[in-house]
Amino acid sequence: DAGITQSPRHKVTETGTPVTLRCHQTENHRYMYWYRQDPGHGLRLIHYSYGVKDTDKGEVSDGYSVSRSKTEDFLLTLESATSSQTSVYFCAISESERSEQYFGPGTRLTVT
Amino acid sequence: AQKVTQAQTEISVVEKEDVTLDCVYETRDTTYYLFWYKQPPSGELVFLIRRNSFDEQNEISGRYSWNFQKSTSSFNFTITASQVVDSAVYFCALSELNYGQNFVFGPGTRLSVLP
C-alpha cells in the first residue's frame, strides 16, 4: 500500500472556525491532490499540487486554500468553515499527472 | 468538457452471479486514461486498473475483466462469479492528456452481493 496518512481522521468543528487537514506521504510522489466526497457527487477535486509550492485549483476550490512547503506534506485549509463543507476529504498522490492516484484513508469533517 | 457517466446507481446480485458495471465517458482529447476504483464499506479507495486510449485490448485479472470500446466511449467492468467481498461502490474515472483538469470521477455504482 502507498504510504499516505491523513490527520486528523475525524473532526467536528463549529461554523466560522479555521480548520487545517494534513496529508503526509512517504512515496516521494510529485503530485498530490485533495478531494471531497459527498453522496451523489462521487469525488470532486478541490486543489492539487505538482511540486513544492506549486498548486492549482480544482473543480470546487472556493472556500479552500492549500500549501505545500515540503514534498511529503500537503495541507488543506478551510479559512472559515461552513456547514456546506461537511464532507469526507481524501488526499491522493501520483507519480505523474496522468498516472493512477493512490488515496489516503480519508478525513471525516463535520461542521456544526 | 470531460465527463464520466455511471448510469447504474445501485445493483444487487446474488453470490456467484456475473455482474457488469457500465462506464461511459466524454472527452475531446485523443489521448486519455481511464481508471476504475473500488470503495468497500470500510471507506478506503482502492485502485483497480488504468487503461490508456491507445490500448483497446481487454484486460482480465482473476475474476475481474474490463472491456474498453472507443467506438462507444465505454469502459465496462465485469465481475465473474461475484462474492460478498465484492460489495462496494465502484468508481470509473477519466484523465485527459491535453485538456481539462485532472481526474474526473463518475458518481459511482453501489454493488451489493447477497449471500
Side-chain angles (χ1 to χ4, degrees):
Chain A
D1 291 342
I4 312 168
T5 57
Q6 292 183 232
S7 57
R9 293 293 313 280
H10 302 271
K11 186 169 182 68
V12 179
T13 192
E14 293 184 349
T15 298
T17 59
V19 176
T20 295
L21 308 183
R22 178 181 183 240
C23 177
H24 179 78
Q25 62 147 330
T26 58
E27 305 297 321
N28 201 36
H29 283 356
R30 180 181 173 192
Y31 288 82
M32 298 185 75
Y33 312 81
W34 277 108
Y35 291 88
R36 60 178 290 172
Q37 184 177 28
D38 304 290
H41 290 280
L43 288 107
R44 292 180 292 175
L45 181 66
I46 304 171
H47 281 280
Y48 69 100
S49 169
Y50 46 96
V52 173
K53 297 186 179 178
D54 292 323
T55 65
D56 205 350
K57 296 179 180 180
E59 177 188 357
V60 290
S61 60
D62 288 348
Y64 301 94
S65 62
V66 290
S67 66
R68 191 170 178 198
S69 58
K70 297 184 291 184
T71 298
E72 58 266 34
D73 290 326
F74 193 32
L75 304 180
L76 176 71
T77 297
L78 291 65
E79 301 291 347
S80 178
T82 67
S83 58
S84 64
Q85 293 176 313
T86 292
S87 187
V88 179
Y89 291 85
F90 285 96
C91 173
I93 64 173
S94 66
E95 287 185 306
S96 70
E97 194 170 13
R98 305 305 171 194
S99 60
E100 61 273 19
Q101 296 180 10
Y102 293 95
F103 286 81
T107 293
R108 183 173 296 276
L109 176 67
T110 302
V111 184
T112 61
Chain B
Q2 57 192 138
K3 183 179 177 181
V4 176
T5 302
Q6 296 179 256
Q8 305 149 308
T9 305
E10 295 191 29
I11 302 175
S12 287
V13 298
V14 177
E15 207 170 16
K16 298 184 182 177
E17 285 185 10
D18 299 347
V19 58
T20 295
L21 310 181
D22 297 334
C23 173
V24 174
Y25 61 91
E26 294 178 26
T27 178
R28 52 187 166 160
D29 208 340
T30 56
T31 302
Y32 52 90
Y33 305 85
L34 295 161
F35 307 80
W36 276 95
Y37 285 83
K38 173 182 179 180
Q39 187 174 41
S42 52
E44 72 270 25
L45 282 149
V46 179
F47 165 72
L48 296 178
I49 190 170
R50 173 183 183 263
R51 185 54 104 213
N52 75 58
S53 53
F54 297 108
D55 183 0
E56 287 195 71
Q57 274 195 323
N58 290 335
E59 175 98 6
I60 297 175
S61 176
R63 296 183 298 105
Y64 294 173
S65 62
W66 291 268
N67 181 261
F68 176 31
Q69 291 197 342
K70 288 179 75 171
S71 60
T72 56
S73 297
S74 65
F75 186 43
N76 296 336
F77 173 30
T78 296
I79 302 174
T80 302
S82 60
Q83 300 176 1
V84 172
V85 293
D86 295 327
S87 296
V89 180
Y90 291 87
F91 293 98
C92 182
L94 166 70
S95 178
E96 296 176 330
L97 180 65
N98 297 306
Y99 300 100
Q101 62 185 38
N102 285 285
F103 276 48
V104 170
F105 282 82
T109 296
R110 181 178 299 277
L111 173 65
S112 298
V113 181
L114 308 174

